[in-house]
Amino acid sequence: MKYIILLLLFCNIANAQIKKAFKFSTFYVAANGGTSLSDDDVYSVDGSTLVYDTVFTPYDYSLTMGIRKIKRFNYEGTSPFKDGTETSFSDAANVGLSPFEFLFEVDYKRQEGIEYFDQQHFIRYVESKWLAKAEYIKDGFADIEYFESTQRLRLNGKKKLSFNLGAVQRLAEPYGYDPLEEWSFNNGRIHYTCLAIEEGYSVDVYESEYIDPQGNVVATNPQVWNEVVMPSVLKDYVEKKRNELNNQWQYSLVVGFDFYHYKKNFWLHTWGNVMPYHYDDGGQFSYHNFNDGEQWYDYSGGLIFGYKLNKNLGIFLEGKYNKYWNKEWYDFKGGINYIIF
């Protein structure tokens, strides 16, 4: 009987904590769509005959599902519904307005005829003297995917401007690895035909036939082979070789800052992170090997600025920037508003 009472008490406490954690959070499911690239007519000449074809790009769409608990900053507007297309640069900041915040979102979409399955998840806990965050990002359009966790001490945590120092652990594919390097000459040219043959293609020089691994003739002259078939072969080979490798851990030191100031006619929110040192575990696919054994700088940051010069005129600038393993991805927007009355 005693154990049953303890179990019920534990379940009651756990249930109360779960309700507290998800209080004021929003769960959303949304579908969005629109016209993509217009149809494109492609012309070519076969002997003396004009040949043309039309490239059709199907419509764009996105199917989004997520749950989030992130308190809005004063400069952020409100919306009666979340439709899954909203982007808030402040989500990438190191700190928020509430101690505990989270976001879990998946987005299956088609953009310019290419399908992506993007994800963004993070949990962030911030106190005046420390912060911790775990995040997973998969952005197919930017071709980036990684898991990151960080633990940091904060200085001046209750001030507008605060600094932080700590450690970052990242798990990602071995960025920097080039599967085509072993097939390259010293002058940068590629043994592309040898690579294709190893991948199952065959070449009949006398009949001028180029055959894929399934036995289909994919080209009947060197021009089509070089300009049409080989780019696809190389792309498939690179993707296959990268998928064969395990993800790699990267341990780094990080230094960051956050600044937030808000008034009705002026606001500035900015943050930044620099990773100046990365532990070299000596692994074959460590990024140090692709960087000549040297250290490098990874960094990220964001800026949200707004200024209402008077009742009519205002300007704004917002953006975020990341550079990890020499891969860059960023978003920005800016403009002028003039209200006529």
Side-chain angles (χ1 to χ4, degrees), residues 146-192:
Y146 66 91
F147 166 82
E148 176 179 292
S149 62
T150 183
Q151 311 80 34
R152 312 184 196 183
L153 297 175
R154 298 185 68 201
L155 303 175
N156 299 325
K158 294 184 179 181
K159 304 293 184 178
K160 291 182 178 180
L161 175 63
S162 66
F163 297 92
N164 53 76
L165 171 67
V168 173
Q169 307 84 39
R170 290 174 292 173
L171 180 66
E173 70 171 78
Y175 291 112
Y177 167 63
D178 182 8
L180 298 178
E181 185 176 0
E182 61 183 288
W183 294 94
S184 300
F185 292 102
N186 293 332
N187 60 5
R189 294 180 177 273
I190 300 291
H191 296 272
Y192 56 85

Side-chain angles (χ1 to χ4, degrees), residues 31-47:
N32 300 277
T35 304
S36 187
L37 297 174
S38 61
D39 300 340
D40 185 23
D41 291 329
V42 179
Y43 299 91
S44 61
V45 177
D46 183 9

